[in-house]
Amino acid sequence: MAQKPKRRAEERADGGRRERIYEIVFEADTPAGRFFDVALLIAILLSVLAVLLESIESIDSEYGGVLRAVEWVFTGLFTIEYLLRLYAVRYPLRYAMSFFGVVDLLSILPTYLALFLPGTGSPLLVVRALRLLRVFRIFKLARFLGEANVLSTALRASGPKIIVFLGTVLTIVLIVSALMYLVEGKEHGFTSIPRAMYWAIVTVTTVGYGDVVPQTVLGRIIAAILMILGYGIIAVPTGIVSAELVEAKRNATTQVCPECLAEGHDTDAVHCKKCGSKL
Amino acid sequence: MAQKPKRRAEERADGGRRERIYEIVFEADTPAGRFFDVALLIAILLSVLAVLLESIESIDSEYGGVLRAVEWVFTGLFTIEYLLRLYAVRYPLRYAMSFFGVVDLLSILPTYLALFLPGTGSPLLVVRALRLLRVFRIFKLARFLGEANVLSTALRASGPKIIVFLGTVLTIVLIVSALMYLVEGKEHGFTSIPRAMYWAIVTVTTVGYGDVVPQTVLGRIIAAILMILGYGIIAVPTGIVSAELVEAKRNATTQVCPECLAEGHDTDAVHCKKCGSKL
Amino acid sequence: MAQKPKRRAEERADGGRRERIYEIVFEADTPAGRFFDVALLIAILLSVLAVLLESIESIDSEYGGVLRAVEWVFTGLFTIEYLLRLYAVRYPLRYAMSFFGVVDLLSILPTYLALFLPGTGSPLLVVRALRLLRVFRIFKLARFLGEANVLSTALRASGPKIIVFLGTVLTIVLIVSALMYLVEGKEHGFTSIPRAMYWAIVTVTTVGYGDVVPQTVLGRIIAAILMILGYGIIAVPTGIVSAELVEAKRNATTQVCPECLAEGHDTDAVHCKKCGSKL
Amino acid sequence: MAQKPKRRAEERADGGRRERIYEIVFEADTPAGRFFDVALLIAILLSVLAVLLESIESIDSEYGGVLRAVEWVFTGLFTIEYLLRLYAVRYPLRYAMSFFGVVDLLSILPTYLALFLPGTGSPLLVVRALRLLRVFRIFKLARFLGEANVLSTALRASGPKIIVFLGTVLTIVLIVSALMYLVEGKEHGFTSIPRAMYWAIVTVTTVGYGDVVPQTVLGRIIAAILMILGYGIIAVPTGIVSAELVEAKRNATTQVCPECLAEGHDTDAVHCKKCGSKL
């Protein structure tokens, strides 16, 4: 992303067809680019909707032919778009290996695969929904970018602590599962430790399906402790993200006074709040 | 709301009947206005209670006639009130199109509609509960207004980030649903992708009814991952709202510059950050 | 609580029996007082345990006589304690009407009531658990009191905002319930609006028993929206309490510099951090 | 942990075999030590996986012999490692009584016990998962240590408040349970107060299995209140941890006074708050 401004300047001077396609397909600054992005947004939503409808048996048996045709039309359009992207971009391989490059390919592959392996291909087309993430770019105004920076800074800073937290939760899940496997046993649905782990995750995350439940007194006591743990322990990652966001926000609104080196001015400050000199 | 103070001054000078009705029906500053609001609060609660009782079969079969009469009495009173509001307000159309204007109309419409379309009208009358939001005004002391400002500032600032968060959650729901539809299949209750999406939302929000549950090993692993995701990811919006509220509170507890009237200085500021004069 | 220190000084000068009983029964500063509180703590726990065991049929049929005897012994002891408290305190009526006075009375009443109305009295004795709140006083070291102050300040400040939040949630519950009553109808378990409200609360709080579940497509869509709302909306009260606690903590650690009036010093600060003069 | 640096210096000067083993088995600074820790990490994961697979009946009946052999190999390796630790450490008894010493012993005991008491020993081997906590040390870079400090400071500061919170929740659970036992009675699954407590914990933590549900109108009203309480009350511990983390972070990002070495100054401090000298 960093070398883009310089590059686009070159391309504009150049003025070639490839550059114009790049402008339309990858950027959202020109009217044509914005029109392309909005059209793409609608196409993705419609094609995902078609996949959803196709999976409903009663609709599929009646309108199956239409939906299959719609699927082929959108797959065709997305294939053309994918080839255009490969053509327009300076380093096609780098694009093809990038996150969005892979998603773009996966968005069209299942339809073609279904030709050779008939059956379960088409539900995989919902991977197209991931492409909507790209279209968020349309809304990327200056304000949004700033906000996203604060958010991603905070989440990156929270990362290692969240992993330690998840590791602790999973260790608890593992030990409680083995206990419950011994206490409740096969006759109450805890047929194996992995099965008991499924129950423990359902419980600690407070989902609580109720398809497997403890039935002995000791099992219920262990389950109650696990529930209280799961209920209370969520405070930890929430507190971590909150604290990081508070800090990220504070740092985001910081300039240094050139005279007295005071920090902590608001973004809209004109004068230093300590010595009154211009910022 | 902004032009109200000026306007009410005019009206008091004028002193007409319409203005006095406006005082009573729309404001809560005078004794009459406060009495009207309290009476309205009680009437709304009673009429909603009547609707609830009417929906219970055993009560309806015994006291159905009384409840229907109560419904007509309250609908009559609310109709008079609606007409009074239309009469008292300066721009009737603007009021009729406002949020509360629409709610006021919807609060009386179902009873009249039931004359022509007998059957399911009366449960819709619970829309009257929305009118209670207006009555919150009675409690709107200065302290409350300040608090509400901090809260609404923070929520408005959180808005775009919450939408990005919800978009991400829904994309995850969509992709997990398609996977589960393929993995679990129709015989385990995942009869279509939209049906699987219902399951995925029940799971990711940790509601966990248990009416549809995964039954294959792979399905349970995917479900466990989705649960842990839903359990942990709630930390993000909570952190966002917390951080915004901390910031909103910090900005709310601040002085005004005596020279340029700028607001939003930090508590430890010595000079106005806008004009540089001493605070 | 405020007039206590002065009063206890008077009492000590007085030196009567009533004052010594007051010292033992109400305070935890003297060795005798602390011993009394610890003994009371154990007695409460044991008596609550006896009530729990009595409610288990298999244990009651075997040890019922012993448990009933234990209940009478503890009720006797608590009655003596209650009378002592009434005797020792300066204003008996004021104590009898206070929160702990009422709890103390309710802790012994059910056993006596069971003499006249045999049957269901004894489970009510678990109200004794509320008396444990008094025994928290034993742990009330200086550090604890400070912490509790910060917590109660923050919770009191959060109060009105939490009430507005709860009011909004209940309004949503009411309107969704009426909708679901119309959409799902009696045949799917939504037999009345109050019944639908029970379902809506089970859903919005993410409890999700699964005893009533939507079964139509439209009902499932409404339920999914309600779940996402309930899942996301919890961020608001959490954010409110977090922000209030951050503020309460900041204010708790604040002195003002007598020279330069700077605020925001830590509790362990000796010198002003701005001008360096002694605090 | 505090006396380690001094001690390791002595050991290096000494240069004996015991010291080299200590370096490898307890530390992760040298290449050999890091290799040992990574190998241990993999061995723990594999041995836990073997225990999980052994508990699945279909896998056990086919590969039971192989899995039992794997169990014995890992138990042998961990026994050698345990003896090495006992030999290398200066105070073997202190190590044997420490948290990790006990875990290391428990990790090998069940296999030996199964020789004398055949049957249910092997699931207990998942206690080995706790040893993974030691291996977190490999990732303990400087950055991580700082983060963990902030986290553990905040959690320790939150401790007493969280305990008060849990005590309050459990008192509510106890009283609601007795009420529900009286209201719902044995015929609706609330067969005893402890059974009702299990239901109340399932409800207040928003797990909601649905294996026991209220069936009377009054029972449902009490349940709804308990749900709203459990849904809202989670804001309190979350707020506590958030506020403590915000404070811990603020204190962590601070300078040291060059004169008196005092820590904990605010970022905007000009003078040391302890001795008043310029920072």
Side-chain angles (χ1 to χ4, degrees):
Chain A
M1 299 295 269
Q3 87 279 21
K4 234 197 293 179
K6 193 178 135 211
R7 177 194 181 171
R8 279 177 48 204
E10 284 176 46
E11 277 160 357
R12 275 201 187 112
D14 190 335
R17 203 197 330 153
R18 225 175 70 178
E19 280 68 31
R20 274 197 316 264
I21 292 173
Y22 182 90
E23 284 280 330
I24 293 168
V25 175
F26 278 93
E27 310 275 340
D29 302 333
T30 56
R34 200 167 299 122
F35 173 81
F36 178 83
D37 273 4
V38 171
L40 188 60
L41 172 71
I42 293 166
I44 294 168
L45 286 176
L46 285 178
S47 75
V48 167
L49 192 70
V51 174
L52 295 192
L53 292 176
E54 208 182 323
S55 77
I56 303 171
E57 211 159 340
S58 63
I59 292 177
D60 188 47
S61 63
E62 207 162 337
Y63 305 100
V66 181
L67 291 170
R68 221 92 53 205
V70 167
E71 187 185 319
W72 272 107
V73 168
F74 281 119
T75 303
L77 288 174
F78 292 155
T79 308
I80 295 169
E81 183 217 341
Y82 182 66
L83 295 175
L84 276 180
R85 282 184 194 270
L86 278 178
Y87 168 73
V89 89
R90 179 163 295 191
Y91 307 102
L93 202 71
R94 198 186 285 175
Y95 158 69
M97 307 296 287
S98 73
F99 174 71
F100 277 121
V102 171
V103 167
D104 289 352
L105 186 60
L106 288 177
S107 296
I108 51 176
L109 229 56
T111 315
Y112 294 115
L113 276 177
L115 286 181
F116 306 100
L117 298 154
T120 57
S122 100
L124 290 174
L125 287 172
V126 292
V127 82
R128 285 170 179 171
L130 276 180
R131 305 191 67 203
L132 290 174
L133 295 177
R134 167 184 275 135
V135 188
F136 273 127
R137 208 170 13 125
I138 309 179
F139 309 110
K140 258 191 200 167
L141 307 165
R143 188 172 57 89
F144 247 67
L145 269 176
E147 303 246 313
N149 270 355
V150 167
L151 197 56
S152 72
T153 304
L155 289 183
R156 217 169 303 131
S158 309
K161 278 181 272 185
I162 299 280
I163 285 167
V164 168
F165 167 77
L166 270 186
T168 313
V169 169
L170 287 179
T171 306
I172 293 170
V173 160
L174 202 56
I175 287 165
V176 168
S177 301
L179 271 178
M180 289 300 274
Y181 172 67
L182 291 178
V183 166
E184 290 283 334
K186 303 188 184 205
E187 62 270 33
H188 296 150
F190 293 78
T191 50
S192 66
I193 299 184
R195 188 85 177 80
M197 284 175 71
Y198 168 71
W199 166 84
I201 290 173
V202 166
T203 301
V204 88
T205 57
T206 78
V207 169
Y209 282 142
D211 52 346
V212 195
V213 288
Q215 271 154 50
T216 65
V217 172
L218 189 56
R220 278 182 185 141
I221 292 171
I222 297 171
I225 293 169
L226 187 63
M227 283 170 211
I228 291 171
L229 231 103
Y231 176 64
I233 226 174
I234 189 68
V236 177
T238 308
I240 292 169
V241 175
S242 298
E244 294 294 348
L245 271 168
V246 168
E247 173 136 322
K249 272 200 102 64
R250 202 175 347 185
N251 291 344
T253 60
T254 301
Q255 296 167 273
V256 179
C257 170
E259 298 251 337
C260 71
L261 300 175
E263 279 177 274
H265 307 292
D266 290 357
T267 27
D268 56 347
V270 179
H271 288 271
C272 172
K273 67 184 181 185
K274 284 287 185 324
C275 68
S277 62
K278 282 245 170 188
L279 287 175
Chain B
M1 298 296 267
Q3 87 280 20
K4 236 198 292 181
K6 194 178 136 212
R7 175 187 181 180
R8 278 176 48 204
E10 283 175 48
E11 277 160 359
R12 275 202 188 109
D14 189 335
R17 202 199 326 156
R18 224 176 71 178
E19 280 68 29
R20 275 198 313 267
I21 292 173
Y22 182 89
E23 283 282 328
I24 293 167
V25 175
F26 278 93
E27 310 276 338
D29 301 334
T30 57
R34 201 166 300 122
F35 173 82
F36 178 84
D37 273 4
V38 171
L40 188 62
L41 172 71
I42 294 166
I44 294 169
L45 287 176
L46 285 178
S47 74
V48 168
L49 192 70
V51 174
L52 296 192
L53 291 176
E54 210 183 321
S55 78
I56 303 171
E57 211 160 339
S58 64
I59 291 178
D60 189 47
S61 64
E62 207 163 334
Y63 306 101
V66 181
L67 290 170
R68 221 93 52 205
V70 167
E71 188 184 319
W72 273 106
V73 168
F74 281 121
T75 303
L77 288 174
F78 293 157
T79 308
I80 296 169
E81 184 217 340
Y82 182 66
L83 296 176
L84 276 179
R85 282 184 194 270
L86 278 178
Y87 168 73
V89 89
R90 179 163 295 191
Y91 307 102
L93 202 72
R94 201 187 283 175
Y95 158 70
M97 305 297 285
S98 72
F99 174 70
F100 278 121
V102 171
V103 167
D104 288 350
L105 186 60
L106 288 178
S107 296
I108 50 177
L109 228 56
T111 315
Y112 294 114
L113 275 177
L115 286 180
F116 307 101
L117 299 154
T120 57
S122 103
L124 289 174
L125 287 173
V126 294
V127 83
R128 286 172 179 172
L130 276 180
R131 305 191 66 205
L132 291 173
L133 295 176
R134 167 186 274 136
V135 188
F136 273 128
R137 208 170 14 125
I138 310 178
F139 309 111
K140 257 191 199 169
L141 307 165
R143 188 173 56 91
F144 246 69
L145 269 174
E147 302 246 313
N149 270 355
V150 167
L151 198 56
S152 73
T153 304
L155 289 183
R156 216 167 306 129
S158 309
K161 278 181 273 183
I162 299 281
I163 285 167
V164 167
F165 167 77
L166 271 185
T168 313
V169 169
L170 287 179
T171 306
I172 293 170
V173 160
L174 202 56
I175 287 164
V176 168
S177 301
L179 270 177
M180 289 300 274
Y181 172 68
L182 290 178
V183 166
E184 291 283 333
K186 305 192 184 202
E187 64 270 32
H188 296 149
F190 293 78
T191 50
S192 66
I193 298 183
R195 187 85 177 83
M197 283 175 72
Y198 168 72
W199 166 85
I201 290 174
V202 166
T203 301
V204 88
T205 58
T206 79
V207 170
Y209 283 142
D211 52 346
V212 195
V213 289
Q215 271 155 49
T216 64
V217 172
L218 188 56
R220 279 182 185 141
I221 292 172
I222 297 171
I225 293 169
L226 187 64
M227 284 170 211
I228 291 171
L229 232 103
Y231 176 64
I233 226 172
I234 190 67
V236 178
T238 307
I240 291 169
V241 174
S242 298
E244 292 293 349
L245 271 168
V246 168
E247 174 135 320
K249 274 201 100 61
R250 201 173 350 186
N251 292 344
T253 58
T254 313
Q255 321 125 271
V256 178
C257 171
E259 297 251 340
C260 72
L261 300 175
E263 279 177 276
H265 306 292
D266 289 358
T267 28
D268 56 348
V270 180
H271 289 271
C272 171
K273 67 185 180 182
K274 285 287 186 327
C275 68
S277 62
K278 281 245 168 188
L279 286 175
Chain C
M1 298 296 267
Q3 87 280 22
K4 238 197 293 179
K6 195 179 135 212
R7 178 197 180 168
R8 278 177 47 203
E10 282 175 48
E11 277 159 358
R12 275 200 189 114
D14 191 334
R17 206 201 321 159
R18 228 176 68 179
E19 280 68 30
R20 276 197 313 265
I21 292 173
Y22 183 88
E23 284 281 329
I24 292 167
V25 175
F26 276 93
E27 308 276 339
D29 302 334
T30 58
R34 201 167 298 120
F35 174 80
F36 178 85
D37 273 5
V38 171
L40 188 62
L41 172 70
I42 294 166
I44 294 169
L45 287 176
L46 285 178
S47 74
V48 168
L49 192 70
V51 174
L52 296 192
L53 292 176
E54 210 183 320
S55 77
I56 303 171
E57 211 160 338
S58 64
I59 291 177
D60 188 47
S61 64
E62 208 164 334
Y63 305 101
V66 181
L67 291 170
R68 222 93 52 204
V70 167
E71 188 185 319
W72 273 107
V73 168
F74 280 120
T75 303
L77 288 174
F78 293 157
T79 309
I80 295 169
E81 184 217 340
Y82 182 65
L83 295 176
L84 276 179
R85 282 184 194 269
L86 278 178
Y87 168 74
V89 90
R90 180 163 294 192
Y91 306 103
L93 202 72
R94 198 186 286 174
Y95 159 69
M97 307 296 286
S98 72
F99 174 70
F100 277 121
V102 171
V103 167
D104 289 351
L105 186 61
L106 288 177
S107 296
I108 50 175
L109 228 56
T111 315
Y112 295 114
L113 275 177
L115 286 181
F116 308 100
L117 298 153
T120 57
S122 103
L124 289 174
L125 287 172
V126 293
V127 82
R128 286 171 178 171
L130 276 181
R131 305 191 65 205
L132 291 174
L133 294 177
R134 167 185 275 136
V135 189
F136 272 128
R137 208 173 11 126
I138 311 178
F139 309 111
K140 259 191 197 166
L141 306 165
R143 188 173 56 89
F144 247 70
L145 271 175
E147 302 245 315
N149 271 354
V150 167
L151 197 56
S152 72
T153 304
L155 289 184
R156 216 167 307 130
S158 309
K161 277 180 272 182
I162 299 282
I163 285 167
V164 167
F165 167 77
L166 271 185
T168 312
V169 168
L170 287 179
T171 307
I172 293 170
V173 160
L174 202 56
I175 288 165
V176 168
S177 301
L179 270 177
M180 288 301 273
Y181 172 69
L182 291 178
V183 166
E184 291 282 333
K186 303 189 186 208
E187 64 271 31
H188 295 149
F190 293 78
T191 49
S192 67
I193 298 182
R195 187 86 179 82
M197 283 174 72
Y198 168 73
W199 166 85
I201 291 174
V202 167
T203 301
V204 87
T205 59
T206 77
V207 170
Y209 283 143
D211 52 346
V212 195
V213 289
Q215 271 154 49
T216 64
V217 171
L218 189 55
R220 279 184 183 137
I221 292 171
I222 297 171
I225 293 168
L226 187 63
M227 284 170 212
I228 291 171
L229 231 101
Y231 175 66
I233 227 173
I234 190 66
V236 177
T238 307
I240 291 169
V241 175
S242 298
E244 293 293 347
L245 271 168
V246 167
E247 174 137 318
K249 271 200 104 64
R250 202 175 347 187
N251 291 345
T253 59
T254 300
Q255 296 166 270
V256 178
C257 171
E259 297 250 339
C260 72
L261 299 175
E263 279 178 276
H265 306 293
D266 290 356
T267 29
D268 55 348
V270 180
H271 288 271
C272 172
K273 68 184 180 185
K274 285 287 185 331
C275 68
S277 62
K278 281 244 167 189
L279 286 175
Chain D
M1 299 295 267
Q3 87 280 21
K4 235 196 297 179
K6 195 180 133 209
R7 182 202 178 161
R8 279 176 49 205
E10 282 175 48
E11 278 159 356
R12 276 201 186 111
D14 190 335
R17 204 199 324 155
R18 227 176 68 179
E19 280 68 31
R20 276 197 313 266
I21 292 173
Y22 182 90
E23 283 281 329
I24 291 167
V25 174
F26 277 92
E27 309 276 340
D29 302 333
T30 58
R34 200 167 299 120
F35 173 80
F36 178 83
D37 274 4
V38 171
L40 188 61
L41 172 71
I42 293 166
I44 294 169
L45 287 176
L46 285 178
S47 74
V48 168
L49 192 70
V51 174
L52 295 192
L53 291 176
E54 211 183 321
S55 78
I56 302 171
E57 212 160 338
S58 63
I59 291 177
D60 188 48
S61 64
E62 207 163 335
Y63 306 100
V66 180
L67 291 171
R68 221 92 53 204
V70 167
E71 188 185 318
W72 273 106
V73 168
F74 280 120
T75 303
L77 288 174
F78 292 156
T79 309
I80 295 169
E81 184 216 342
Y82 183 65
L83 295 175
L84 276 179
R85 282 184 195 268
L86 278 178
Y87 168 74
V89 91
R90 181 163 294 191
Y91 307 102
L93 202 72
R94 198 186 286 175
Y95 158 69
M97 306 296 287
S98 71
F99 174 71
F100 277 122
V102 171
V103 166
D104 288 352
L105 186 60
L106 288 177
S107 296
I108 51 176
L109 229 56
T111 314
Y112 294 114
L113 275 177
L115 286 180
F116 307 100
L117 298 155
T120 57
S122 103
L124 289 175
L125 287 172
V126 292
V127 82
R128 285 171 178 170
L130 276 181
R131 305 191 67 206
L132 292 174
L133 295 177
R134 167 184 273 135
V135 189
F136 273 128
R137 209 171 12 126
I138 310 179
F139 309 111
K140 259 192 199 167
L141 307 164
R143 188 173 56 90
F144 247 69
L145 270 176
E147 302 245 316
N149 271 355
V150 167
L151 197 55
S152 72
T153 304
L155 289 184
R156 217 169 303 131
S158 309
K161 277 180 273 184
I162 299 280
I163 285 167
V164 168
F165 166 77
L166 270 184
T168 312
V169 168
L170 287 179
T171 307
I172 293 170
V173 160
L174 202 56
I175 287 165
V176 169
S177 301
L179 270 178
M180 289 300 273
Y181 172 68
L182 291 178
V183 166
E184 291 282 334
K186 301 187 187 210
E187 62 272 31
H188 295 150
F190 293 77
T191 51
S192 67
I193 299 184
R195 188 84 178 80
M197 284 174 71
Y198 168 72
W199 166 85
I201 290 174
V202 167
T203 300
V204 87
T205 58
T206 77
V207 170
Y209 283 142
D211 52 348
V212 196
V213 289
Q215 272 154 47
T216 65
V217 171
L218 188 55
R220 277 182 186 141
I221 292 171
I222 297 171
I225 293 169
L226 186 64
M227 284 170 211
I228 291 172
L229 231 103
Y231 176 66
I233 226 173
I234 189 66
V236 178
T238 308
I240 292 169
V241 175
S242 299
E244 293 293 346
L245 271 168
V246 167
E247 173 138 318
K249 271 201 103 63
R250 203 175 345 184
N251 292 344
T253 59
T254 313
Q255 319 125 273
V256 178
C257 170
E259 298 250 340
C260 72
L261 300 175
E263 279 178 275
H265 306 291
D266 288 358
T267 27
D268 56 348
V270 180
H271 288 271
C272 172
K273 68 185 180 184
K274 284 287 185 326
C275 68
S277 62
K278 283 243 169 189
L279 287 174

